[in-house]
Amino acid sequence: MNDQGQFYYRAGKSRTRTCTTEPVPPQLVEADVKRFKPDAGRLTVFVVRKRWGDAVNRIDLRVDGVAPVTTVPESFVRLRLAPGRHQFTMTWNGVNVSTAVEGRAGEVRIVEIVGSVWAWGSSYTWEVDDEAGARKRAMTSRLIALRDGGR
């Protein structure tokens, strides 16, 4: 955490830090969010980004084309959305990768951004099948944003 309330990630002993673009919620709020409570009138979606090969890039996350949340490694976001089907798009270096997330009011869904960063390039995909693993990875990640979406 820096003086402006932004979270930064540093891989190992590297000097390179990847910082959030906005201040993050306080740790007291994060502790409550990590209880993964549903909202009776909304679909709750957690987007988790924590994999060993993902170490540097900022990735913009858009839901239904709405203004992005910029993610960093070892972070997660909680979104409260209208029930139904939503288009999730991540963007980095001009590349867009999308997936659909669907759910009803009162449901909690967890999806992951899975990245591999190597000297010769980066690739990112969506993982939607491992909610139990994603939940464990979220528990050791930093909450960087809370968003309540419409539609």
Side-chain angles (χ1 to χ4, degrees):
M1 198 77 109
N2 66 19
D3 293 344
Q4 290 79 40
Q6 298 164 301
F7 170 72
Y8 65 85
Y9 172 78
R10 180 187 345 230
K13 295 181 181 180
S14 168
R15 291 184 180 186
T16 304
R17 297 186 319 178
T18 305
C19 296
T20 58
T21 56
E22 300 174 18
V24 300
Q27 289 189 335
L28 192 59
V29 171
E30 179 178 325
D32 185 55
V33 168
K34 285 182 175 178
R35 293 173 41 205
F36 301 99
K37 295 185 294 188
D39 180 308
R42 312 287 278 164
L43 166 63
T44 302
V45 181
F46 291 89
V47 179
V48 179
R49 184 173 167 204
K50 183 176 180 163
R51 294 294 178 104
W52 70 270
D54 180 11
V56 205
N57 299 316
R58 287 185 181 150
I59 295 179
D60 287 339
L61 164 67
R62 283 184 169 75
V63 179
D64 300 326
V66 176
V69 172
T70 301
T71 68
V72 298
E74 297 201 11
S75 67
F76 75 102
V77 176
R78 188 198 69 198
L79 305 154
R80 295 269 166 98
L81 305 168
R85 185 178 179 93
H86 299 276
Q87 186 76 17
F88 282 59
T89 303
M90 64 175 134
T91 304
W92 80 100
N93 292 337
V95 176
N96 294 316
V97 179
S98 297
T99 192
V101 176
E102 189 169 354
R104 297 182 309 259
E107 275 190 311
V108 174
R109 299 288 316 271
I110 304 174
V111 297
E112 287 186 276
I113 296 173
V114 178
S116 294
V117 177
W118 303 99
W120 55 88
S122 305
S123 67
Y124 292 89
T125 60
W126 289 102
E127 174 76 38
V128 296
D129 303 359
D130 184 16
E131 288 196 20
R135 188 179 293 243
K136 286 180 188 174
R137 285 182 283 281
M139 292 300 292
T140 57
S141 297
R142 183 66 167 104
L143 174 67
I144 60 166
L146 302 168
R147 295 289 193 269
D148 290 334
R151 200 172 56 150

